[in-house]
Amino acid sequence: MFKVVGLYKNFDEVKVLKNINLEINKGERIVIIGPSGSGKSTFLRCLNGLETVTKGKVYFENKDISKKDGRETLKKCGMVFQSFNLFENQTVLQNITLAPIKNKLFDKRIAKKKAMELLDKIHLKEKANVYPSDLSGGQKQRVAIIRALIMNPDVLLFDEPTSALDAEMIEEVLELMKEVAKTGMTMIVVTHELGFAKEFATRVIFMNEGKIIEDGAPDEIFNHPKTERLQTFLGKIKKV
Amino acid sequence: MADFLNSIGDKFYQSFIYDDRYLYFLDGLKYTIIIALFSALLGVIIGAIVALIRDYNKEHKRLLLLKKIADIYVYIIRGTPTLLQLMILYYVVFKSININVVIVGILTFGINSGAYVAEIIRAGFDSVGDGQREAAKTLGLSYFQMMKSVIFPQAIQKVFPALGNEAITLLKETSIAGYIGIVELIKASDIVSSRTYDYFFPLIISAVIYLFLTFLLSTIMKKVERRMKRYV
């Protein structure tokens, strides 16, 4: 699904990603972990072209995303952000239906119907006509998730989806992500929720200083870390 | 005291009533309003286009030539006096073309205001933040779909008070149109003064009309602003 070859990313003088090579297959649920500043989020944003890469290539469904047809296929790659990024001037319902209507995925009536069904599933049907400013953080993030889902994506990227949430709201978002996972959706998640990563992921990637240090099944990563760097990272987290 | 009041009454009569001189003020008011209205409209259109060109360039690194032109335009307009721009347009650009002087006025003030409006709208775009742009992008919206449905409405709402200020500034600035022979309010009061040799009433009458216009304008702006504030 994704193929990353020799990826480098610099912000001016700062080298954020250093030679990332990776293949991601359909149906995988990948969780990327690592200390702050290790390049996890930047890597995720390189996958869907939100950051232009300094060197190297990213292929999505075998198409180079720096080319026009590659960018076109990226419509099948949804994203959920740390700060939700709902459209503040649009109601919850409009937030969800705007993109499918503009992209001519469905007509207005069907888009509305689908949006209401999705809202019903996350128990926010009665919030359809309010503005995002009237929602809690957890509600915002759940709306953001179904806004991405209604586009029928082949893969969903999550950039620290619970980091901006109060503790009591983290669970509702993680639960929804697990629900989505049940549909077989390919998902790539950057998160600090290691407990969630353990039970959710089919594959865990540990990044440090712009490189992939370890890449394996959750059991390998969490119970048998090979590198000292990962051991220290997990040790630090456990102590907290 | 009675003499004093009498003389005041007489001066007012001379400045305003006698020989239907109020018609000068009415006519002046008409041109002030026409020029202010149409140049404000032109200014908003130019300002929005310039702001969009710059924003598009920032996001897609394209339209470089247009962006440079837009930058130079804003730089020149903000760096020179409006009066000079008015005179250049009238005495140089349209020198040999037979064109209604009011249109020259509208063009000048519209082009002038456009530069300021462009800066205001740019500030509005910046105030929306990149998050919603990124969300729009990942949802497959095109640049123009995103601007139209998401960024522009929020930007305009955020900078609406600044746009109102610009409208008031523009309204007052049209008073220099008399320099190229447009009989707007100030010029009208000038004409009346030259007949009566009295400056007091003609100037005070103009001032009162301007105050009334700006009061009206800011009241309307406030009403519209309140109506827009529904989602914050």
Side-chain angles (χ1 to χ4, degrees):
Chain A
M1 177 158 280
F2 274 111
K3 192 176 174 196
V4 180
V5 187
L7 171 64
Y8 289 80
K9 173 69 185 173
N10 304 344
F11 287 114
D12 298 319
E13 295 302 296
V14 189
K15 298 187 171 92
V16 182
L17 297 175
K18 302 162 195 164
N19 195 18
I20 305 272
N21 294 282
L22 191 68
E23 243 178 275
I24 293 166
N25 300 311
K26 197 169 160 42
E28 282 191 301
R29 287 193 300 281
I30 298 180
V31 171
I32 305 174
I33 58 172
S36 300
S38 57
K40 311 176 298 275
S41 286
T42 305
F43 172 61
L44 200 68
R45 293 162 57 82
C46 284
L47 286 180
N48 67 349
L50 282 183
E51 302 289 349
T52 43
V53 305
T54 307
K55 210 174 112 192
K57 290 278 181 213
V58 176
Y59 298 93
F60 178 56
E61 317 269 31
N62 297 318
K63 291 202 170 88
D64 183 345
I65 67 157
S66 65
K67 303 266 159 55
K68 202 175 175 215
D69 62 337
R71 275 197 297 276
E72 197 59 31
T73 53
L74 276 179
K75 282 189 178 175
K76 284 283 174 192
C77 171
M79 185 162 188
V80 174
F81 299 84
Q82 179 176 352
S83 49
F84 330 124
N85 298 347
L86 293 180
F87 306 136
E88 285 166 27
N89 63 325
Q90 315 229 340
T91 64
V92 167
L93 184 65
Q94 288 167 338
N95 258 282
I96 302 166
T97 57
L98 178 71
I101 291 171
K102 295 276 181 197
N103 280 299
K104 303 202 162 58
L105 223 55
F106 324 110
D107 71 32
K108 243 181 200 163
R109 201 175 50 84
I110 296 175
K112 256 187 198 168
K113 195 168 148 263
K114 290 216 176 219
M116 288 312 285
E117 282 168 16
L118 285 166
L119 277 172
D120 196 26
K121 263 187 203 158
I122 61 168
H123 312 295
L124 285 178
K125 210 172 171 181
E126 74 283 3
K127 298 278 187 191
N129 294 312
V130 308
Y131 288 93
S133 53
D134 287 337
L135 299 180
S136 72
Q139 292 172 334
K140 281 184 197 175
Q141 195 60 300
R142 280 150 58 211
V143 169
I145 291 173
I146 61 171
R147 179 176 71 171
L149 274 180
I150 200 172
M151 296 295 289
N152 285 328
D154 291 336
V155 54
L156 273 182
L157 312 181
F158 292 79
D159 186 8
E160 306 201 19
T162 58
S163 298
L165 295 176
D166 293 335
E168 75 267 24
M169 291 169 185
I170 291 177
E171 206 49 46
E172 63 187 60
V173 171
L174 295 182
E175 280 307 316
L176 177 57
M177 289 170 67
K178 286 179 204 160
E179 284 295 313
V180 175
K182 280 185 198 153
T183 66
M185 176 75 68
T186 312
M187 295 162 87
I188 307 169
V189 184
V190 170
T191 186
H192 293 285
E193 299 287 332
L194 297 192
F196 167 76
K198 249 183 228 176
E199 59 169 313
F200 170 84
T202 59
R203 180 178 166 194
V204 178
I205 291 171
F206 172 63
M207 283 182 74
N208 190 42
E209 291 177 356
K211 289 182 190 145
I212 293 177
I213 308 292
E214 291 201 31
D215 176 350
D219 178 56
E220 277 175 66
I221 299 288
F222 290 110
N223 301 328
H224 312 285
K226 290 194 226 32
T227 57
E228 207 191 318
R229 196 62 199 85
L230 177 53
Q231 285 158 10
T232 347
F233 175 72
L234 292 174
K236 263 186 201 152
I237 301 257
K238 266 180 201 136
K239 263 180 225 150
V240 174
Chain B
M1 190 64 191
D3 269 5
F4 176 69
L5 283 179
N6 257 339
S7 103
I8 294 240
D10 184 50
K11 277 187 175 157
F12 181 77
Y13 177 80
Q14 285 289 330
S15 300
F16 207 60
I17 315 283
Y18 178 75
D19 208 10
D20 286 345
R21 283 184 180 143
Y22 65 90
L23 286 178
Y24 283 106
F25 292 99
L26 274 185
D27 235 32
L29 176 63
K30 186 179 89 186
Y31 282 114
T32 292
I33 288 177
I34 286 176
I35 294 174
L37 199 67
F38 284 99
S39 57
L41 209 64
L42 183 64
V44 167
I45 292 168
I46 294 176
I49 292 172
V50 167
L52 275 174
I53 289 171
R54 288 168 141 192
D55 186 81
Y56 187 83
N57 171 269
K58 201 168 105 192
E59 188 140 334
H60 292 270
K61 314 278 171 248
R62 292 214 298 265
L63 299 182
L64 189 66
L65 182 69
L66 274 176
K67 191 252 177 192
K68 288 266 183 241
I69 294 172
D71 284 350
I72 292 168
Y73 156 73
V74 173
Y75 181 76
I76 290 176
I77 295 297
R78 296 210 304 172
T80 54
T82 316
L83 179 56
L84 194 65
Q85 294 160 14
L86 182 70
M87 292 169 89
I88 288 175
L89 223 63
Y90 184 66
Y91 291 114
V92 181
V93 178
F94 290 115
K95 187 183 175 224
S96 49
I97 302 165
N98 188 12
I99 183 170
N100 187 328
V101 69
V102 174
I103 292 176
V104 177
I106 289 171
L107 283 175
T108 305
F109 294 113
I111 291 169
N112 178 277
S113 182
Y116 294 93
V117 172
E119 291 289 296
I120 292 171
I121 293 181
R122 186 205 357 215
F125 288 167
D126 290 349
S127 75
V128 179
D130 289 338
Q132 294 184 53
R133 284 176 186 249
E134 289 181 348
K137 236 183 271 178
T138 61
L139 287 166
L141 295 177
S142 72
Y143 176 80
F144 287 101
Q145 288 168 342
M146 168 186 85
M147 290 314 274
K148 182 177 158 256
S149 302
V150 180
I151 309 295
F152 215 89
Q154 290 181 63
I156 292 297
Q157 195 229 329
K158 281 186 175 141
V159 299
F160 201 73
L163 285 175
N165 252 338
E166 171 58 21
I168 287 173
T169 304
L170 178 64
L171 173 71
K172 291 183 295 180
E173 211 159 41
T174 59
S175 61
I176 61 173
Y179 270 89
I180 59 168
I182 299 173
V183 186
E184 40 66 62
L185 262 175
I186 303 280
K187 189 78 180 171
S189 69
D190 217 28
I191 291 171
V192 173
S193 313
S194 68
R195 303 269 158 88
T196 59
Y197 301 106
D198 171 44
Y199 282 91
F200 183 77
F201 272 111
L203 291 179
I204 292 297
I205 289 165
S206 294
V208 168
I209 296 175
Y210 270 113
L211 277 173
F212 173 71
L213 287 178
T214 50
F215 168 77
L216 201 68
L217 195 55
S218 56
T219 309
I220 294 171
M221 292 305 238
K222 264 193 202 119
K223 277 230 167 90
V224 179
E225 197 187 324
R226 226 172 290 141
R227 196 171 270 196
M228 287 167 105
K229 279 248 161 77
R230 56 174 208 270
Y231 52 80
V232 272

